[in-house]
């Protein structure tokens, strides 16, 4: 296969991003795509020397980013896909959403890609070119923090797992009450990884934000900035009220 032909085949993928298997594809297709990705990385086309937003990132620089991602993936909370929570080797995360802050398996990554880049920007943790700020963001979020936000109203059969304990209960069979007394929480409805219902679960989680607590935002830095702005505004209102009261007290009383 010529270099020009390889380049034409890579064009449909997002800039700096490896290709993904078609949503709902067979395991044969997934294997074929995985092999193609590995061949592309061996040829130096993806891991370093990126294009688009990653243009100018050298191979050596990207090796450092990939090593940092490997350390993040080794954390207990990131060893299972944030969405399917499958415990098999196939469910180990090797992809990430760089704006949602989650590490996901290849199958769920295909569903994320189908949501559109305005919802989820997907990158391979081993084959794509990464910017330093993207790795920093993933380090500041991760699966535990992200699921605490996106699955806040979702309960697990295991009270300690918040629907993220690695089990794959079938839809609608979770009945564990909320430990924090949240009456708005729902039973765990996480489908199995290979279930056709998983795509719908992911869409409800990130597009509909079905299980997000009202009044919370993502990513955490955005919520912190909003809270700081609210505090500053409240402080400014208190200061203005105090100044007005002081000015009123200092003003001479009108003649009787």
């Amino acid at each position: 296969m010529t270099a020009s032909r390889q380049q034409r085949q890579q064009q449909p993928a997002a800039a700096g991003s490896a290709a993904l298997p078609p949503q709902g594809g067979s395991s044969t297709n997934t294997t074929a795509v995985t092999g193609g990705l590995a061949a592309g990385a061996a040829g130096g086309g993806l891991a370093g020397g990126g294009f688009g937003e990653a243009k100018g990132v050298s191979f050596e620089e990207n090796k450092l980013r990939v090593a940092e991602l490997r350390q993040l993936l080794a954390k207990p909370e990131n060893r299972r896909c944030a969405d399917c929570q499958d415990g098999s080797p196939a469910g180990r995360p090797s992809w990430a959403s760089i704006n949602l802050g989650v590490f996901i398996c290849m199958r769920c990554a295909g569903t994320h890609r189908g949501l559109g880049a305005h919802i989820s920007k997907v990158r391979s943790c081993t084959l794509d070119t990464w910017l330093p700020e993207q790795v920093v963001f993933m380090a500041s979020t991760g699966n535990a923090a992200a699921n605490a936000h996106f699955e806040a109203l979702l309960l697990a059969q295991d009270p300690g797992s918040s629907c993220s304990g690695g089990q794959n209960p079938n839809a609608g069979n979770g009945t564990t009450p909320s430990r924090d007394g949240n009456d708005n929480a729902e039973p765990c409805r996480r489908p199995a990884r290979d279930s056709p219902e998983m795509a719908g679960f992911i869409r409800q989680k990130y597009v509909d934000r079905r299980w997000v607590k009202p009044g919370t935002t993502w990513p955490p830095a955005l919520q912190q900035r909003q809270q700081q702005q609210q505090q500053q505004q409240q402080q400014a209102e208190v200061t203005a009220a105090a100044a007005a009261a002081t000015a009123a007290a200092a003003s001479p009383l009108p003649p009787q």
Side-chain angles (χ1 to χ4, degrees):
M1 183 180 293
T2 64
S4 60
R5 185 176 177 185
Q6 287 179 335
Q7 184 176 5
R8 287 195 302 270
Q9 289 184 346
Q10 292 175 357
Q11 289 303 316
S17 177
L20 278 167
Q23 185 175 344
S26 65
S27 59
T28 302
N29 291 337
T30 302
T31 304
V33 171
T34 305
L37 292 176
L46 292 174
F51 50 94
E53 67 178 10
K55 185 177 181 180
V57 179
S58 70
F59 179 79
E60 292 301 324
E61 289 173 336
N62 199 59
K63 282 180 64 177
L64 296 176
R65 305 289 86 79
V66 171
E68 292 170 351
L69 289 169
R70 191 178 301 113
Q71 293 179 353
L72 295 178
L73 288 168
K75 291 185 175 183
E77 64 268 25
N78 296 330
R79 291 178 182 175
R80 294 177 184 266
C81 173
D83 296 332
C84 69
Q85 290 289 320
D86 189 88
S88 68
R92 288 293 295 268
S94 57
W95 294 74
S97 174
I98 62 173
N99 63 310
L100 296 176
V102 292
F103 292 100
I104 49 181
C105 67
M106 173 175 272
R107 190 181 188 94
C108 291
T111 302
H112 275 250
R113 179 67 58 81
L115 299 178
H118 63 294
I119 300 295
S120 182
K121 298 179 181 179
V122 184
R123 292 288 185 275
S124 168
C125 296
T126 57
L127 302 175
D128 281 334
T129 303
W130 284 73
L131 300 177
E133 56 267 29
Q134 293 170 345
V135 179
V136 170
F137 176 72
M138 296 303 300
S140 67
T141 54
N143 290 359
N147 279 351
H149 174 77
F150 290 107
E151 298 183 1
L153 302 182
L154 200 63
L155 297 181
Q157 288 185 322
D158 176 4
S161 65
S162 186
C163 206
S164 302
Q167 300 181 15
N168 285 313
N170 293 326
N173 63 357
T175 57
T176 303
S178 173
R179 289 184 299 164
D180 58 5
N182 190 344
D183 295 334
N184 295 322
E186 298 183 14
C188 179
R189 293 186 175 88
R190 189 187 309 280
R193 179 175 181 268
D194 57 354
S195 169
E197 297 176 352
M198 178 53 67
F201 174 87
I202 292 175
R203 177 170 293 275
Q204 290 182 77
K205 181 176 177 179
Y206 298 111
V207 179
D208 302 333
R209 306 285 175 109
R210 178 175 178 179
W211 302 293
V212 172
K213 284 185 179 180
T216 59
T217 57
W218 185 262
L222 176 60
Q223 184 171 355
Q224 291 173 2
R225 286 197 299 269
Q226 291 178 343
Q227 291 175 346
Q228 290 174 355
Q229 292 173 355
Q230 291 175 356
Q231 292 174 355
Q232 291 172 356
Q233 183 179 357
Q234 292 173 355
Q235 183 62 39
E237 292 174 352
V238 170
T239 302
T246 301
S251 300
L253 294 175
Q256 295 295 331

